[in-house]
Amino acid sequence: RAGHLPAPAGAPPRTGAPGAAAAPGGSAGQPAAPAGAVPARRAERSERVMRVSLQTMPWLADHAFFHTPPGWPDWHDRFPLVPMAATVQIVVDEAAALAPDAVPVRIRSMRALRWTTAVPPTDVTVRATRVTDTEVRVVLDGYAKAVVELAPAYPEPPGARREPLPGERPTRQTAAQLYSQRWMFHGPLYHSVVDLYGISDGGIRGRVRCSEAPGSLLDGAAQLVGYWVHMSVDHNQMALPSTIEEVTFHGPHPGPGEELDCVVRVTELHEDRVVTDVELVRDDGRVWCQMAGWVERRFATDDRTFETFKYPERNAITDVQPGGWVLARETWNDAATRDLLVRVYTSTAERASYDRLNPRQQRHWVLGRVAAKDAVRLRLAAAGVVDVHPLAVRVDNDERGAPRFAVDDPAGAGMHLSIAHTDGLGVALVGTTPVGIDIERVAERSARFEEMVSTAAERDLLASVPAVDRDEALTRLWCAKEAAAKATGRGLEGNPRGFAVEEVVGERYRIGDRWIETTVLALPGEEGAYVVAWTADR
């Protein structure tokens, strides 16, 4: 079966696979079965363990999701994984192995349940079960599932529709630029799109090539869908395959080097997904494959996060604020997007801390790390050190819990870091002297809270603030104390009154010999306001 995925090297043999006994009439090198012998019983199920790794499936090195700094040693951070298109081939092969006298003509209800990663290696139990004479259910335990229909021959192909899409226009990029400009993350074996014919509000047309990499041809169709999403919406621009309702094959799989025309027609567009129908056509005009209900999940990205996924070394998600601190705003509002973003910004070693946290803590942790690494990278850029990848900035905590960072450039030596976060927002500050920063939402504060955090002298200062501004003033006071305490490297240590505000000049607060800047932050689309306080340059 040209183009079908072979079992990986070292995989255990399938149990119950056809061929355990000679077929009636014998085979080469075997005697014919005696007259009246009972024919070998057809296989009803098979099971094997498939190892997914760069050793057993080296082509996955060209299906690694993230860009890392040049020479980066840890392939885990590249995130090589099995494309859904390769999973389609696995499913087809497993079903065909139960019925060597038939061909797979249709796949129904294909579902990808989670990533199948190659680093670290993943052992996947693959089970195929004959449901009827013409149907086999295939399950990659915990990762994917589908039903495959079998028949004696492929169905007659329908006529191809090669006409332009309504309203079709040229694409902004060439096929080569999809990869050179990182619209696609794929390596050479999965550079499957070789031409772009045109794009419209209702779909896209192009040409795709089959390579030696399993799934490369159908992955080219998936890339066209992803590119259409990039070009057609202004948010949630990143899309990845998740389900296929039906795939129909009208002939054997094309061989390496063969090219087909591909037409994608968008049937539904939702905030969280795009649904398409896809047709792949051979040069002789025959349809090879039709896919109905190809669904790609849209991830929660805006222009800035999407550009950061493409070029993490050149882009930052945060905004630099007056005073030199940076603000990260959580525009990714779902766990799946956050899990991808954390891989852009943090290494395997750093993610060990993230994995130990509950979902709420993870939200804050990511905001803090994004703000911290962007603050460092923007400070380095101001010193002329550009294209610093987030992975190249290593952030951890000292023995007292204060954040610190390291970077392999002399410009980062001797600098200090402070981080703070609240729901949906993260801030960070970098300086050549010890620094501190804090952020809090302006909220009603009780008299008990005021008494706990402030001295009598500080309460006299607050008494001069009109009642309507009391909560804002108290929030500024609290944030100023937090910022000053962080700059010591110790924090408040349960004694906020030990960091007494001695002087207030406008929005500046003096604690000891340290001046703290404060500001009120009001964000579009956010209810209420926030106070940010940070240590001023000395």
Side-chain angles (χ1 to χ4, degrees):
R1 299 186 307 281
H4 285 180
L5 177 64
R14 296 178 178 88
T15 59
S27 61
Q30 294 180 321
V38 178
R41 184 175 182 272
R42 73 177 187 181
E44 297 295 329
R45 68 186 305 273
S46 67
E47 180 176 320
R48 69 183 178 98
V49 175
M50 176 180 68
R51 167 145 284 213
V52 178
S53 72
L54 293 182
Q55 288 68 45
T56 59
M57 301 179 178
W59 53 84
L60 293 181
D62 279 344
H63 200 267
F65 196 78
F66 296 105
H67 298 282
T68 55
W72 191 254
D74 192 346
W75 265 91
H76 193 284
D77 294 324
R78 293 286 311 279
F79 203 40
L81 47 84
V82 178
M84 186 171 181
T87 305
V88 169
Q89 270 194 259
I90 295 169
V91 164
V92 165
D93 276 357
E94 296 301 318
L98 289 186
D101 54 347
V103 293
V105 297
R106 187 169 291 107
I107 302 173
R108 301 197 319 270
S109 303
M110 179 85 194
R111 301 288 185 269
L113 306 177
R114 58 174 167 150
W115 310 115
T116 312
T117 58
V119 180
T122 302
D123 288 330
V124 182
T125 300
V126 184
R127 298 185 179 91
T129 306
R130 190 185 288 272
V131 180
T132 69
D133 287 343
T134 60
E135 291 185 339
V136 174
R137 179 183 294 112
V138 181
V139 176
L140 280 65
D141 202 9
Y143 294 90
K145 59 183 180 179
V147 174
V148 180
E149 294 183 19
L150 304 157
Y154 292 106
E156 191 68 22
R161 297 168 57 188
R162 289 178 178 266
E163 72 277 6
L165 298 163
E168 185 173 304
R169 58 192 180 273
T171 58
R172 297 179 189 174
Q173 279 74 33
T174 65
Q177 287 172 333
L178 293 186
Y179 309 105
S180 64
Q181 296 179 0
R182 295 190 187 175
W183 295 93
M184 302 297 152
F185 60 83
H186 307 72
L189 284 175
Y190 283 98
H191 285 186
S192 304
V193 179
V194 294
D195 202 354
L196 291 169
Y197 298 148
I199 191 171
S200 78
D201 292 344
I204 186 170
R205 294 189 309 123
R207 190 166 177 84
V208 294
R209 178 190 294 144
C210 182
S211 78
E212 296 83 0
S216 59
L217 195 57
L218 294 187
D219 200 72
Q223 293 173 34
L224 287 176
V225 177
Y227 180 68
W228 182 89
V229 174
H230 298 329
M231 293 293 104
S232 302
V233 300
D234 60 3
H235 64 286
N236 297 359
Q237 303 102 316
M238 189 171 69
L240 296 172
S242 60
T243 65
I244 314 172
E245 288 307 316
E246 187 173 278
V247 183
T248 302
F249 300 107
H250 297 280
H253 197 293
E258 188 169 349
E259 296 179 2
L260 285 78
D261 286 342
C262 181
V263 182
V264 174
R265 293 180 173 85
V266 177
T267 60
E268 299 177 39
L269 180 62
H270 305 274
E271 283 291 299
D272 61 344
R273 68 193 185 281
V274 59
V275 185
T276 63
D277 291 343
V278 179
E279 189 174 77
L280 290 154
V281 184
R282 296 180 188 270
D283 282 346
D284 61 7
R286 294 181 299 156
V287 173
W288 167 63
C289 173
Q290 293 170 306
M291 292 183 282
W294 176 290
V295 181
E296 296 209 4
R297 175 177 180 169
R298 294 174 62 189
F299 288 78
T301 53
D302 58 11
D303 287 340
R304 180 169 291 182
T305 39
F306 179 66
E307 287 299 318
T308 302
F309 271 105
K310 283 173 58 182
Y311 285 99
E313 69 274 29
R314 298 182 188 173
N315 294 284
I317 293 178
T318 59
D319 290 307
V320 180
Q321 305 295 313
W325 54 278
V326 303
L327 171 69
R329 189 176 181 187
E330 188 182 51
T331 56
W332 52 95
N333 57 7
D334 66 278
T337 307
R338 183 177 67 239
D339 287 345
L340 291 179
L341 183 66
V342 76
R343 287 181 172 274
V344 174
Y345 268 81
T346 62
S347 66
T348 303
E350 291 174 301
R351 288 193 302 276
S353 299
Y354 173 81
D355 292 337
R356 290 192 293 267
L357 303 175
N358 64 44
R360 178 181 172 81
Q361 292 171 326
Q362 286 179 336
R363 286 185 62 199
H364 289 173
W365 190 92
V366 171
L367 281 164
R369 284 301 188 271
V370 166
K373 295 198 174 198
D374 280 0
V376 172
R377 297 191 302 134
L378 291 166
R379 184 71 178 241
L380 291 173
V385 183
V386 297
D387 289 350
V388 177
H389 195 289
L391 294 182
V393 181
R394 300 174 296 280
V395 177
D396 63 3
N397 300 88
D398 65 18
E399 62 280 359
R400 291 178 172 175
R404 62 187 178 186
F405 75 92
V407 63
D408 295 330
D409 192 282
M415 290 202 290
H416 302 263
L417 170 69
S418 184
I419 307 170
H421 40 69
T422 188
D423 288 338
L425 298 173
V427 293
L429 178 66
V430 172
T432 54
T433 59
V435 294
I437 192 168
D438 192 47
I439 181 170
E440 296 286 346
R441 181 186 287 272
V442 177
E444 184 177 353
R445 312 282 177 176
S446 67
R448 175 61 177 158
F449 176 85
E450 181 178 353
E451 184 178 335
M452 287 176 58
V453 304
S454 61
T455 65
E458 289 173 311
R459 289 193 288 277
D460 289 340
L461 284 174
L462 291 179
S464 64
V465 178
V468 69
D469 295 325
R470 174 186 174 279
D471 292 327
E472 178 188 307
L474 190 54
T475 305
R476 285 183 190 262
L477 183 76
W478 173 252
C479 284
K481 290 171 178 282
E482 284 275 16
K486 288 180 178 182
T488 69
R490 301 189 307 272
L492 290 172
E493 296 182 324
N495 182 27
R497 288 188 287 189
F499 292 84
V501 173
E502 300 173 20
E503 186 178 0
V504 178
V505 178
E507 296 184 328
R508 305 181 82 222
Y509 289 63
R510 183 173 62 81
I511 298 176
D513 63 351
R514 192 184 301 277
W515 281 97
I516 313 297
E517 304 277 1
T518 69
T519 190
V520 174
L521 194 63
L523 298 171
E526 290 275 352
E527 292 185 6
Y530 298 84
V531 167
V532 181
W534 66 99
T535 53
D537 289 336
R538 291 193 294 174

